Amino acid sequence: MTTNTPDTANDNKWIGKRTIRPDGADKVTGRAAYAADTTMPGMIWGKVLRSPHPHARIKSIDTSKAEVHPGVKAVMTAKDIVNFPIEKSVMLGIQDMRWMCRNVMAREKALFAGHPVAAVAATTEKIAAEACKLIVVEYEVLPFVIDVEEAMKPEAPILHDFIRFKDKPSNIAGTLEHRLGDIGEGFAKADIVIERSFRTQPVHQGYIEPHACLVSVSDGKATVWSSSQGQFMVRAMCAYLTGLPQNDIRAIPAEIGGGFGGKTIIYLEPLALILAKKSGRPVKMTMSRAEVFHASGPTSGSYSTVKLGATRDGKLVAAQGTFCLQAGALPGSPIRGAAGCAFAPYDIPNVHSFGYDVVSNRSKVAAYRAPGAPIGAYAVECVMDEVAEALKMDPLDFRLKNAAKQGTKAAHGPVYPRIGFVETIEEARKHAHYTTPLPKAGKGMLYGRGVASGFWFNAGGESSAQVNINEDGTVVVITGHPDIGGSRAATANITAELLGIDYKKVSVLIGDTSVIGFSNLTGGSRVTYASAMVVTQSTERVITQLRERAAKIWKIDPDAVVWENGEARPAGDNAGKFEPLSLGQIAAQASATGGPIGAGQQLNTMGAEGGFATHVCDVEVDPDLGIVRVLRYTAVQDVGRAIHPSYVEGQIQGGAAQGIGWALSEEYIFNKDGKLDNPSFLDYRMPVSSDLPMLDSVILEIPNPKHPQGVRGVGEVPLVPPLAAISNAVYDALGRRFYSLPMSPPKVLATMDMAAE
Amino acid sequence: MDIQYVAPRTLDEAVRAFAAAAGAGRILAGGTDLLVQMRNGVVAPGTIVDIKKIGELTSIEETKDGGFRVGAAVSGAVLREHAKLSKVWPGVVEATNLIGSTQVQGRATPGGNLCNGSPAGDSVPAMVAAGAIVTIQGPNGRREMPVEKVPKGPGRLNLEPGEIVVSFTLPPRGKGSSDAYLRMIPRTEMDIAVVGCGVSLTMDGGTCTAARVGLGAVAPTVLLVEEAAKALIGSKLDDAALAKAAAACSAACRPIDDKRGTIAYRTKVAGVLLKRTTLIAAERAGGK
Ligand SMILES: Cc1cc2nc3c(=O)[nH]c(=O)nc-3n(C[C@H](O)[C@H](O)[C@H](O)COP(=O)(O)OP(=O)(O)OC[C@H]3O[C@@H](n4cnc5c(N)ncnc54)[C@H](O)[C@@H]3O)c2cc1C
């Protein structure tokens, strides 16, 4: 159910329409080609040998037995990968190649159980696996640390001797600070001050498609088929890590089975490339689900402390937050999202927000949907609930009273333009969900309701598009972004709208690195936003050409031609009397009027303004079993403009579902040897569909003034509020607050029993 | 290594093939455990003996005395379709139907569930509560054993080499008798029981006259909890009797702390489930 479906009764024919997704039929019939679906003649299989130890110095690696094993075609170690010395940072986006080269294959040390130490390519998967066992690695096993609080202690085992904090060896690899006003003065004015600490566990993005690739190298040129959140990222990282120039690598994006940020980096592609180069054969590599869990990046576990101060009339006067995030084996945890987004929804004059990036012996963190922001919002929004309660204020009224608006200066820097945060709270407050009373406790069950809000930066960045008019008047649009959230359908809606033609006449394709210009990652909720900009500008240039062609046919001035409803028409009576020319008619005469019609645009897009959401959640708690079930869930979000509402709802629902898993059941569990104990979907408990109620999404459209269609990013905000919304609901049901996630049944029961004693 | 696959039509052939393969042989029923274990490299059988083509193992019959004989390789979906069995032994059927999903139900069997040897198998506590007798056939002929005697420890059974579980015999039911099964899983489906509890009982004028309790996932094997049954028998299933039976269940637990549940959690939940399962069984039996 969707309430408040955006008003499509405006002039738009396609923008805002629930057009049929172009990838749908292929996906439901199993024809869509994902990364593991491509094969080649002569193809062989690569396998990775992984460290069994969470922390060990690699003293030697002897691959000689594996190399002579029948069927083995190539063996590689870190020696085959370009080394980026510790002294000099080389950045690609947010990734530092010093860390990437050590992440794809352990160099000096194995830093987590599952860290690759060597790889083999052989004629069958089985032989490759056998050969891995023949590689002799001599380890000096070292003490390890996984938990973020433990890793920050002075006596903790140190992962990297090159990391120093306050002049001492440390696991604190970096910090980030936002300051606004003076919190000392602010807290002095507060009538109510509440400070709490919170813990979250690492959680995985849980994409259904494991990492996979096929790489072929011939005549020194490599072709990479893989599923990722950016073929240009794949190309650039492979170039860095193998030393090939970018023009010798062609990265072809496969259909992608989910990424959620986790496929903004690579694991297998450079290994397969090196193995392919060494063996002269195409090499395919796939991860098992267990490998995905052990060795790809979940997001950080965290330890946060948040302190809020408010005056008796309900105005926030000061806020302080410390967010310690587990980076995994190498630096780079999303402290910017945690410390930057945490207080962003509110107009608070005095703010101090501080983030610690902490390395520890688990796999290197990868982006996960609004990286870091859910962690920060969890702590802040739970304390908001406590402050509202102490003030005897409705939690939504309290948020409304402090909501950021146009002109508010945020602690992370910007002064907001027109934003829609207030509207999300007002909408939630009057929504039937919020005005309907909870079920009465009974049959042993308890009920509670919670609310929370959230913010995500959103992103612009580089995008390229090409719009070509075919000879028959149909249209092909090529963009450079893998489509994860429906960007092909959204792009087709926009192109059809601008050209004034039927949606079915527009095909949108994703170009590989050799056919379209540089396009940055599908991430940061940026693709529909940025694609819309380059596609709009390309299409506008095409329309200019179409007008010129009609003018040429009519022998009048192009300025005297307008483009309306898919046709060229004389601008007025003065222009002369001509029958309109359709796109098809102009296309048919293209050769005679100047050649093929088409245009491209490449931009570094700006103006992706932040997104806000407010969520309401009802839970049912079985206090004797400790089971929390979400009964009703409503997510209200300002999306700027919903180009394709079904996809927008899908994003909102998906984010809420992942948040429910994070809050209630998902966690990395490490055994006493530092190895992940639950590397499967059986024991890493993502919610299944029967665990979830219908997730209701309310789309608000407060257009982004800096975008041609008013688009704001959509995909990440929905994962920001759920952790706190659910925690607050559980408190409402049980009268006890939980300060750590997940609120799994044993934890809930233990807390209840403690309370009873 | 090559795997030999045989699908005999008779039990004798199956026993022979299984015995001949010695340690390298594996019985295949639905395969929902076996194939997963092969894929994960936990087992690597040389010979697979598929028992789904054998009539006696894939049929459900009423016995002369009014009980049922359920073939070990009957799938959960077929079990559910049997109207009379579902009416007389609703707990056994619901427990078996909890295994996996719709897809898994088309394959998974009670024989496989028992012989996989997991203390968390869902159908096993219900079978234990039901007092099912297992028929076994091996190179030395046929024998019978109460179902609770089959498991020896996690993944280990009290079966001799070459022995195959043929069927489960469920006794006839008198008036006022029924059964139920509940499990605790953190999710609503696709999960492994953290605790499972089966209760079978007979009610006569509001008094419980017979009861059996099976508990899963709280010890190395599924348990028959006689102390809990004793606490129920002779009572009107009042709060005191239920509390006593629940305490007996908790006392019987010898669980482990693992990723699926803590010792404290399992111990407490065993008692909670006992109470809830008993009340459902009593309701089905015609009320307290
Ligand atoms: C997705 C999924 C979900 C699952 N969910 C559950 C669940 O909720 N609850 C649960 O209890 N289990 C669950 N399971 C496990 C499994 O489905 C059950 O244990 C099922 O009952 C096994 O039956 P099967 O016929 O498939 O066994 P098989 O895999 O065919 O056999 C299991 C073992 O028993 C042996 N065996 C089978 N039949 C006999 C026989 N007649 N005599 C001697 N040995 C025999 C086999 O050699 C093998 O070692 C799940 C499995 C999957 C894949």
Side-chain angles (χ1 to χ4, degrees), chain B residues 18 26-37 51 57 72-73 98-101 104 107-117 120-123 157 159 163-166 183 190-193:
Chain B
F18 192 31
R26 278 279 170 164
I27 298 294
L28 173 77
T32 60
D33 280 315
L34 184 64
L35 296 189
V36 175
Q37 289 161 5
I51 54 173
L57 275 84
L98 278 176
I99 297 171
S101 56
V104 171
R107 309 283 309 172
T109 68
N113 202 220
L114 177 67
C115 295
N116 187 49
D122 278 307
S123 68
L157 306 176
L159 293 187
E163 281 190 323
I164 298 174
V165 171
V166 178
R183 66 173 179 180
M190 302 306 284
D191 221 323
I192 290 187

Side-chain angles (χ1 to χ4, degrees), chain A residues 84 88-101 230-241 246 264-266 364 462 518-521:
Chain A
F84 288 80
K88 187 164 169 280
S89 166
V90 177
M91 297 302 288
L92 179 71
I94 60 165
Q95 300 298 341
D96 190 324
M97 298 316 295
R98 291 177 297 170
W99 316 142
M100 281 309 297
C101 81
Q231 60 272 38
F232 291 90
M233 173 278 298
V234 171
R235 181 179 73 175
M237 285 208 185
C238 285
Y240 273 127
L241 296 173
Q246 291 192 355
T264 55
I265 58 175
I266 54 172
K364 174 177 158 49
E462 305 88 339
F518 176 68
S519 298
N520 211 325
L521 291 163

Side-chain angles (χ1 to χ4, degrees), chain A residues 118-137:
Chain A
V120 175
T123 49
T124 69
E125 277 187 279
K126 213 168 149 201
I127 295 174
E130 284 163 16
C132 281
K133 290 195 189 131
L134 298 175
I135 297 172
V136 184
V137 185

Side-chain angles (χ1 to χ4, degrees), chain A residues 453-467:
Chain A
S453 297
F455 165 85
W456 175 246
F457 307 116
N458 292 327
E462 305 88 339
S463 286
S464 304
Q466 173 72 29
V467 176

Side-chain angles (χ1 to χ4, degrees), chain B residues 169-220:
Chain B
T169 304
L170 297 168
R173 291 299 250 173
K175 210 172 136 282
S177 300
S178 199
D179 68 335
Y181 175 79
L182 284 181
R183 66 173 179 180
M184 190 284 156
I185 53 171
R187 284 183 290 212
T188 45
E189 59 179 345
M190 302 306 284
D191 221 323
I192 290 187
V194 177
V195 180
C197 178
V199 174
S200 169
L201 46 67
T202 304
M203 300 298 292
D204 187 356
T207 301
C208 175
T209 57
R212 280 173 68 89
V213 175
L215 263 190
V218 294

Side-chain angles (χ1 to χ4, degrees), chain B residues 69-87:
Chain B
R69 204 197 50 75
V70 177
V74 169
S75 73
V78 169
L79 211 62
R80 191 216 313 261
E81 295 286 303
H82 199 288
K84 190 152 181 204
L85 181 71
S86 300
K87 200 158 164 253

